[in-house]
Amino acid sequence: MSESAQLHTTPQQHSETTESQPSQQPNYMHEFGLDIGQGLQFGIYSLGDHLPDPHDGSRVDAGQRIHEFIGYAQAAEAAGLDFFSLGESHQEFFASQAHAVILGAIAQATDTIRIGSSSTILSTSDPVRVFENFATIDLISGGRAELVAGRASRVGLFELLGYDLRDYEELYEEKLDLLLKINREKQVTWSGQFRAPLNDAEVLPRPTGQALRIWRAVGGAPASAVKAGLAGVPMVMAHLGGTTSVFKGTVDAYRRAAAHAKFDPATLPIATAGFFHAAETSQEALRAMYPHINEGMKRTNGQGMPKQHFAQSVHPASIANIGSPQQIIEKILHQHEVFGHQRYLAQVDFGGMAYADVMKQIEIIGTEILPAVKKYTATAPADSQTESAGSASGPAGSTSGSAGSAFDSAEEALA
């Protein structure tokens, strides 16, 4: 989901007709069904990777891997999670190139959990077909579909699908403009640089509700978040690591940009997404996850993650939710206090992790972590939000003690 960007302050520049944005701004909090009285939404996501086990080099076949994605969604629903999403990638070591097809199967295999894309690579897709696909998934699922519109952190697909990487920024901005226009207008007239114009076109089918739930993927860079804010589009902020305080700057930039463009930031949902692994102790969590992260990143990104860097994941200030269940609860509550976001998405399956191990992570979330997160983030009156979110150092326990000592011995655990 990562992005790098130059600032485009006119995301609807290609439309032939323009209307007043402030008067038409939807209340996305309402449209997306995000009720702060129910607490922070909790979901899991997969990039769709198809990587070997780093310990023995074994790898399931592509068919089994695709069925694993379906199984994750079913298990997440059974555990009471709110959301499951699957990414799109078009390179070696991935199995979700046709992620919309897999999401259609997941729609049939589940009943209540919301489902969507971790990142639909809009830059190399036709927005008309993307809308058709996800509106169809929405109809199959009874109104549970969502779409995260992303660029590409792995750019080999530009050559594969016949696009010029030099148009990286322009492709995305133009196609997101068109997708959002299709989503809000039944008859679309539009022209741009990278596809044929539309003249009073009706794009069908239409989704179950008023519109599809569409988010913009942001890789953590403030410039990318500013674009999302200026467009008044809900944001999913993904991260590999770093401190919560650093990412607060991205969230603040998003909300300032939205306010500058006359959008109400209170109506714009924010989701965060990143690494997750729970074990009895933080040392066990580090030892269990590091080989998967390091070897998986070598294959998919070209370089691994240094042990010293990954060891910081258990520090209370780290945005990566790795550690004991109690430590993870404390960190998520702290992040909610800092960001005021509405959804957290845990990446639990990366790097050839065994299916049974992923199932165990989902079980831990459902039985040990989710109830506490919901309890301490649920709030009714707006003036009680700070108090509810601030429980990270109250009922959940002190974030400075156990996690801090875990960090002190983290490098030893990874040795």
Side-chain angles (χ1 to χ4, degrees):
M1 292 190 198
S2 67
E3 301 183 22
S4 59
Q6 297 177 348
L7 204 56
H8 292 261
T9 59
T10 54
Q12 295 180 344
Q13 59 191 316
H14 301 289
S15 299
E16 291 190 352
T17 59
T18 58
E19 301 180 56
S20 171
Q21 283 184 323
S23 64
Q24 289 199 346
Q25 169 67 6
N27 186 331
Y28 287 108
M29 292 287 291
H30 176 73
E31 282 194 11
F32 286 25
L34 295 165
D35 180 4
I36 61 173
Q38 300 299 315
L40 180 69
Q41 285 200 355
F42 201 122
I44 62 171
Y45 75 98
S46 174
L47 295 179
D49 58 278
H50 182 207
L51 287 156
D53 185 320
H55 302 290
D56 61 15
S58 63
R59 185 170 72 152
V60 302
D61 63 38
Q64 182 175 338
R65 182 63 176 143
I66 289 170
H67 281 283
E68 288 182 353
F69 303 143
I70 300 171
Y72 296 160
Q74 291 174 312
E77 179 175 84
L81 276 66
D82 299 291
F83 188 69
F84 173 82
S85 64
L86 179 66
E88 172 189 6
S89 188
H90 295 265
Q91 69 175 56
E92 188 181 10
F93 298 117
F94 285 85
S96 60
Q97 289 81 357
H99 71 309
V101 176
I102 302 171
L103 287 168
I106 290 172
Q108 285 283 72
T110 56
D111 297 309
T112 59
I113 192 169
R114 296 188 187 187
I115 58 175
S117 59
S118 303
S119 183
T120 296
I121 309 304
L122 193 59
S123 306
T124 54
S125 302
D126 180 3
V128 173
R129 292 305 308 274
V130 168
F131 184 87
E132 290 171 343
N133 287 341
F134 277 83
T136 300
I137 295 168
D138 194 62
L139 294 172
I140 294 171
S141 66
R144 294 183 284 128
E146 302 189 13
L147 190 162
V148 177
R151 305 170 186 240
S153 59
R154 292 166 291 273
V155 296
L157 78 167
F158 280 79
E159 181 179 357
L160 176 68
L161 299 178
Y163 291 89
D164 191 334
L165 186 58
R166 291 173 294 184
D167 296 325
Y168 183 87
E169 296 292 338
E170 292 80 3
L171 277 165
Y172 180 76
E173 298 300 335
E174 179 178 297
K175 291 188 176 190
L176 180 59
D177 168 40
L178 177 54
L179 179 64
L180 295 175
K181 190 173 180 66
I182 293 170
N183 196 36
R184 292 292 168 185
E185 301 177 16
K186 291 185 178 180
Q187 306 292 135
V188 178
T189 296
W190 177 95
S191 65
Q193 181 181 355
F194 298 105
R195 84 173 312 279
L198 299 177
N199 297 302
D200 201 28
E202 184 177 15
V203 181
L204 299 171
R206 305 306 295 181
T208 301
Q210 181 179 354
L212 279 175
R213 303 181 184 100
I214 299 176
W215 306 69
R216 177 169 178 150
V218 170
S224 182
V226 165
K227 288 186 177 182
L230 290 173
V233 180
M235 174 179 76
V236 177
M237 181 178 69
H239 41 74
L240 294 176
T243 63
T244 298
S245 61
V246 168
F247 287 94
K248 182 180 186 300
T250 299
V251 172
D252 290 346
Y254 169 71
R255 290 185 172 132
R256 284 195 302 268
H260 177 77
K262 309 301 183 185
F263 298 116
D264 181 0
T267 68
L268 295 172
I270 296 173
T272 66
F275 288 142
F276 176 101
H277 194 83
E280 187 172 344
T281 68
S282 58
Q283 290 85 0
E284 290 179 23
L286 288 170
R287 281 195 295 265
M289 194 177 190
Y290 179 70
H292 296 277
I293 298 300
N294 186 50
E295 294 301 319
M297 289 181 66
K298 285 180 182 178
R299 287 182 168 88
T300 61
N301 293 9
Q303 61 181 3
M305 181 178 289
K307 284 184 178 181
Q308 294 84 353
H309 179 74
F310 186 72
Q312 297 174 21
S313 300
V314 299
H315 193 280
S318 172
I319 200 165
N321 290 311
I322 297 171
S324 70
Q326 184 62 37
Q327 290 165 345
I328 291 173
I329 290 168
E330 294 166 3
K331 292 176 78 171
I332 292 175
L333 293 179
H334 173 63
Q335 291 158 17
H336 183 259
E337 181 179 15
V338 172
F339 300 144
H341 57 307
Q342 288 71 44
R343 178 182 288 169
Y344 166 68
L345 300 173
Q347 185 179 6
V348 297
D349 73 321
F350 183 73
M353 191 167 290
Y355 184 72
D357 292 339
V358 178
M359 291 294 106
K360 181 63 176 177
Q361 291 298 306
I362 296 172
E363 178 186 354
I364 292 171
I365 292 170
T367 59
E368 300 185 51
I369 296 174
L370 183 63
V373 169
K374 292 286 190 181
K375 177 179 179 180
Y376 293 116
T377 58
T379 177
D383 59 5
S384 70
Q385 185 168 358
T386 301
E387 179 181 349
S388 298
S391 300
S393 57
S398 171
T399 61
S400 61
S402 58
S405 61
F407 176 65
D408 293 338
S409 57
E411 291 190 30
E412 180 181 347
L414 290 171

